[in-house]
Amino acid sequence: MTHVKHGSVPAALLLCAALAGMFASCTRIVDFSGELPGPKLVVNCFVNPDSVVRVHVSRSWNIAETGGEALTDATVLLYVNDELQPPDARSPAWPSYLSHAALGEGDRVRLVVAAKGYDEASAETTVPPKTPILAVDTARFGDRSMRFFIRLKDVEAGMPNRYRLDVSQEYLIDGEWHVASSSGIYSGVGGVFDGGRFDYEQDAALLAEFEDVNSDILGTSDRNIFGLFSDDLFDGREYTLNVSLHPMFMPDSYSFVDGMFVPDTRIAGMRYTFRLVTLSQSAYRYLKTLTIQENSGEENVFTEPSAVYCNIAGGLGILGAFRTDAATVRIPDDMLSQYPWFDAEGGK
């Protein structure tokens, strides 16, 4: 028989016992008797000189409601360097407002939104400079992996510049390229980074972004699902991002032919587009806090709830700006030839 001396109970068992007692506590239902807050305007907009300005306006909702709703009667005023731009047009396809205002590096963009029954909402941001991709080099290791070296030059020495690496994967089918996945700024969480197809563990800048953020009692830190990084390690100098990928294609269906499953859809090529996105401070803080919130999750009881960054005065939401430079690299056909879903003759 094994005897355990007094005081020798492992700390892990004590912790489990304490947690079990905490979660086994009695639950008491208390009727809510407080006053619910009134709704606020919710304004979301990311401006980019390469596209039209699109402003989405809705309202907030409280815990007693089932969801928010878009506002189609709001007034949106857009100022660029304190100059009012032409009247906005409403998009028929989406409850938003559009403007074709010309934007450039360093422009100050200000939004003022008003609607009957709501406090006025406003925000301002500055368009960052474009940071060019100087080169993309590749190296193969093993049979199914490639490493990409993406070289850039930090354009503003002495300034806290913020970036993200946006990656999209495309397939060639019937002579046309189709976007399969993206970590784009409007696509929410997920995409190439979150899906595990990309490995940034060898890159100091991408790895350091969340190294000390939200580390819990189990030693788990946040995943950099938006590919965020800063110039803290290379202020004013060149830097080479170091990431690897494992080419992957998931056919929608298979057929059972001659005793084996054969994909019904095959591709004739695969390529990746790397977008180096220079972010305004507001856009960076929004994406970083969104990452922290998404990584916290309801299932992680060891992390505290976190709020997503908001810069809308008098309301909720985000006004941010970004600039993008892109480079595309095609995966060598001989690397794809080992997969049953690859057909160099054209795909189908």
Side-chain angles (χ1 to χ4, degrees):
M1 179 180 297
T2 302
H3 299 277
V4 179
K5 296 182 179 180
H6 179 71
S8 64
V9 179
L13 293 180
L14 294 177
L15 175 60
C16 292
L19 290 176
M22 179 178 65
F23 292 122
S25 300
C26 297
T27 301
R28 180 183 179 187
I29 300 176
V30 180
D31 293 333
F32 178 76
S33 59
E35 182 178 351
L36 294 174
K40 292 179 177 292
L41 289 176
V42 179
V43 181
N44 289 295
C45 176
F46 282 98
V47 297
N48 173 18
D50 298 327
S51 64
V52 298
V53 178
R54 186 186 298 271
V55 186
H56 183 270
V57 182
S58 60
R59 73 170 183 89
S60 64
W61 66 93
N62 57 50
I63 58 175
E65 297 177 299
T66 57
E69 59 185 28
L71 297 179
T72 58
D73 59 348
T75 299
V76 179
L77 301 179
L78 173 67
Y79 296 86
V80 178
N81 299 325
D82 297 326
E83 293 187 6
L84 181 63
Q85 300 303 299
D88 300 339
R90 185 174 296 127
S91 169
W94 199 42
S96 59
Y97 297 81
L98 305 178
S99 173
H100 290 78
L103 301 176
E105 176 183 336
D107 283 347
R108 290 182 293 106
V109 179
R110 178 174 173 79
L111 285 176
V112 179
V113 182
K116 186 177 180 180
Y118 299 89
D119 293 337
E120 182 181 272
S122 63
E124 184 173 306
T125 192
T126 302
V127 178
K130 176 184 286 188
T131 305
I133 295 177
L134 302 179
V136 178
D137 297 317
T138 62
R140 295 171 62 169
F141 60 99
D143 294 332
R144 302 190 176 188
S145 297
M146 288 192 68
R147 189 167 296 281
F148 293 83
F149 304 94
I150 305 155
R151 186 157 54 92
L152 60 99
K153 173 70 164 58
D154 188 44
V155 295
E156 289 185 311
M159 300 293 293
N161 298 312
R162 304 293 183 245
Y163 303 100
R164 72 179 297 244
L165 180 62
D166 175 23
V167 186
S168 62
Q169 187 180 44
E170 302 169 60
Y171 305 132
L172 181 62
I173 302 176
D174 292 332
E176 296 184 359
W177 288 99
H178 303 266
V179 177
S181 60
S182 174
S183 55
I185 200 164
Y186 288 107
S187 66
V189 297
V192 174
F193 272 84
D194 195 31
R197 293 184 290 275
F198 241 80
D199 176 14
Y200 58 86
E201 294 295 325
Q202 301 300 317
D203 187 84
L206 286 166
L207 191 61
E209 191 64 27
F210 292 94
E211 190 172 22
D212 299 321
V213 176
N214 232 12
S215 180
D216 59 34
I217 194 172
L218 301 179
T220 303
S221 59
D222 282 343
R223 300 163 299 157
N224 194 346
I225 56 180
F226 285 109
L228 299 173
F229 64 100
S230 71
D231 65 346
D232 292 347
L233 300 178
F234 54 93
D235 181 37
R237 306 189 309 274
E238 289 188 5
Y239 182 76
T240 300
L241 293 166
N242 182 352
V243 296
S244 62
L245 68 85
H246 308 278
M248 182 184 300
F249 175 69
M250 299 297 292
D252 294 332
S253 60
Y254 291 81
S255 296
F256 193 70
V257 180
D258 296 332
M260 60 184 301
F261 288 99
V262 178
D264 294 328
T265 302
R266 299 182 182 181
I267 66 173
M270 178 186 297
R271 67 186 185 187
Y272 283 84
T273 297
F274 300 90
R275 297 178 183 86
L276 178 59
V277 184
T278 309
L279 299 167
S280 67
Q281 293 298 318
S282 57
Y284 167 79
R285 293 182 64 182
Y286 170 77
L287 290 175
K288 183 156 187 173
T289 54
L290 180 61
T291 299
I292 294 172
Q293 184 187 75
E294 291 292 337
N295 277 297
S296 297
E298 295 181 358
E299 71 281 357
N300 193 342
V301 298
F302 298 109
T303 58
E304 297 182 0
S306 58
V308 176
Y309 173 76
C310 163
N311 67 341
I312 306 296
L316 301 171
I318 182 68
L319 170 61
F322 66 97
R323 301 291 303 278
T324 302
D325 193 35
T328 299
V329 179
R330 181 164 177 169
I331 304 300
D333 287 352
D334 66 319
M335 187 175 185
L336 301 176
S337 61
Q338 60 186 305
Y339 296 100
W341 38 256
F342 177 73
D343 178 11
E345 299 300 322
K348 63 179 181 177

